[in-house]
């Protein structure tokens, strides 16, 4: 059985933090790995980020990624504007935010999650426009957020 998304295997776990530079150094030390580079979430002109259905013109984040076995560990520091990341940081002070799943059809997967009772909170394109992401609030159903990742076919 492959659940409502067609897969049972998450591809990513993400942690929201106040300082990506400090946090990624601590994770690197803990994991015994090199400190990864930091990347930016990208400008609105590329991402077209929408938060709670409205354009999120100033919303972005800094990110660092660790490859740990079959799962990517993402460290996110939100900055600028309202976002699901900033809300979570403000509400909790940081911590594990979401599990991400790679999907074939992001629109179909969003509908399946909404039917399951999740609420779409944020949607946008990758910082290089090669794919899209969607965050769904599944705290009532699963105790966390779920992120859908979809790489566009070339």
């Amino acid at each position: 059985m492959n659940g409502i998304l067609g897969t049972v295997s998450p591809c990513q776990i993400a942690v929201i933090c106040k300082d990506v530079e400090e946090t990624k150094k601590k994770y690197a030390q803990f994991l015994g790995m090199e400190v990864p580079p930091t990347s930016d979430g990208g400008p609105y002109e590329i991402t077209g980020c929408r938060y709670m259905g409205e354009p999120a013109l100033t919303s972005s984040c800094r990110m660092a990624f660790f490859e740990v076995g079959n799962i990517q560990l993402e460290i996110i520091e939100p900055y600028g504007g309202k976002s699901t990341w900033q809300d979570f940081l403000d509400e909790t002070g940081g911590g594990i935010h979401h599990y991400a799943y790679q999907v074939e059809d992001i629109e179909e997967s969003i509908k399946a999650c909404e039917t399951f009772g999740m609420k779409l909170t944020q949607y946008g394109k990758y910082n290089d426009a090669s794919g899209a992401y969607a965050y769904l609030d599944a705290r009532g159903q699963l105790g966390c957020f779920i992120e859908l990742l979809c790489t566009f076919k070339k």
Side-chain angles (χ1 to χ4, degrees):
M1 181 164 174
N2 287 326
I4 67 171
L5 298 176
T7 181
V8 295
S9 299
C11 61
Q12 182 188 82
I13 297 171
V15 173
I16 303 286
C17 66
K18 293 178 183 176
D19 183 337
V20 71
E21 297 302 323
E22 178 184 321
T23 304
K24 73 179 183 177
K25 288 176 188 171
K26 288 180 182 176
Y27 267 97
Q29 183 180 15
F30 176 76
L31 296 169
M33 300 175 81
E34 294 291 319
V35 177
T38 300
S39 60
D40 188 83
Y44 177 80
E45 293 76 25
I46 294 174
T47 67
C49 183
R50 298 183 70 76
Y51 173 72
M52 298 300 197
E54 299 294 324
L57 302 174
T58 61
S59 175
S60 197
C61 66
R62 286 180 273 278
M63 305 168 285
F65 301 91
F66 291 91
E67 300 301 327
V68 288
N70 295 338
I71 293 185
Q72 185 180 66
L73 172 61
E74 179 182 28
I75 312 297
I76 302 171
E77 174 194 339
Y79 74 86
K82 293 292 286 174
S83 67
T84 190
W85 313 301
Q86 189 63 56
D87 285 352
F88 185 81
L89 184 61
D90 292 346
E91 291 169 13
T92 68
I96 294 177
H97 179 257
H98 69 262
Y99 295 94
Y101 293 86
Q102 187 72 37
V103 297
E104 292 292 320
D105 183 330
I106 198 162
E107 298 301 329
E108 184 179 305
S109 296
I110 289 169
K111 288 177 188 170
C113 288
E114 288 176 330
T115 298
F116 193 71
M118 299 178 197
K119 179 180 178 176
L120 178 66
T121 61
Q122 190 166 315
Y123 178 92
K125 293 180 184 155
Y126 299 165
N127 62 4
D128 64 359
S130 66
Y133 68 88
Y135 287 102
L136 292 113
D137 187 343
R139 290 177 291 180
Q141 297 78 16
L142 305 174
C144 65
F145 284 82
I146 294 296
E147 182 182 25
L148 306 175
L149 301 169
C150 182
T151 302
F152 297 144
K153 306 264 190 247
K154 293 183 180 183

